[in-house]
Amino acid sequence: MPRHATTTDLLERAERAWWAEHAEVEDKWCWVQTPRVQHLLRRRYTQQIARWIRAEDVVVELGCGTGWLSLLLAEAGVRDLTGVDFSPEQVERARAAATRAGSSVRFEVAQGEGLASLGRPIDVVVVHAFLHHLATDEIQRVLAAVASSLSPGGRLVVFEPVLHEGSPPGRGPTDRALRKIEHLPMAMADRRLRRVSELERATRAAVDRRGVGSAPFGPSPKETPFVGDELPGLLAGAGFSVVERTAVLSRSGLVAQELLLAGLSQPRAWSAAMGPLLRLAARLDRRTVSRPVPPGDGWVFELMLCGRAAGNP
């Protein structure tokens, strides 16, 4: 199943309906998770993004959602930062989070094509796990809008999942160890070494109801990982060249998900185990994604720094 070339009203309604039903579960358990998880798993690449940003740069995060990444970037030293999202509900949640954190990050409602409406020259646009939720024509429009909104010498930072096809699925010792950590909570439950509460069962059922798409796609209707050099090709079509490209995450987010869910049954035990297990998972993850060809049966999240290609102003 390739990426949708274009979106339709029916597909767009299905995508929005999916988010309306599952956004809270997705954020809390599967993706945004908790500040502690963000610190353990995402601090390294968040700091890498911050190092690519100069003190005087005007920065926009496009598709900011609840604003958690913008707030992490501000903590890492990014000064002039605005988060943009098409959803008023998400922007309100982001503003509330900024108020609680005492952060100066601004959040605005705008479409990707409406970056010019911010009325300011933009030096850096950050797009974090947003483009793979779009059809190809939408990605092309968003990237064209980003290109036209950037100041001369402006940069684009992209973090998106890539599926590396044709490589052996998780046969190495590092892959096996990472998967064992991921499956540890339920393996213990299956062996009756821990109790699964009704709250945990109900929450796992809610996570499962998100669906898994047509593997490896989903869980939302439009969500599709990039394949190989698909994304660099789309970036080139909008006048960008990839200056740096680094694989940063594989399965460690799934490890965090399982540990958080197990904590619904034994909060003290799994809270104590969270730090050591996630740090180990993060190390194994880095070893896994550092191989020339990462595992082919899962998504690998890659971080790309992009500049204007030669001949583009």
Side-chain angles (χ1 to χ4, degrees), residues 191-204:
R191 292 174 173 81
R192 301 182 183 275
L193 297 177
R194 76 174 187 91
R195 174 184 60 85
V196 177
S197 67
E198 287 303 315
L199 177 58
E200 182 182 343
R201 292 185 193 279
T203 306
R204 286 184 178 277

Side-chain angles (χ1 to χ4, degrees), residues 236-255:
F240 290 104
S241 62
V242 178
V243 179
E244 293 187 38
R245 179 178 179 179
T246 308
V248 291
L249 284 178
S250 177
R251 303 191 69 87
S252 53
L254 295 173
V255 172

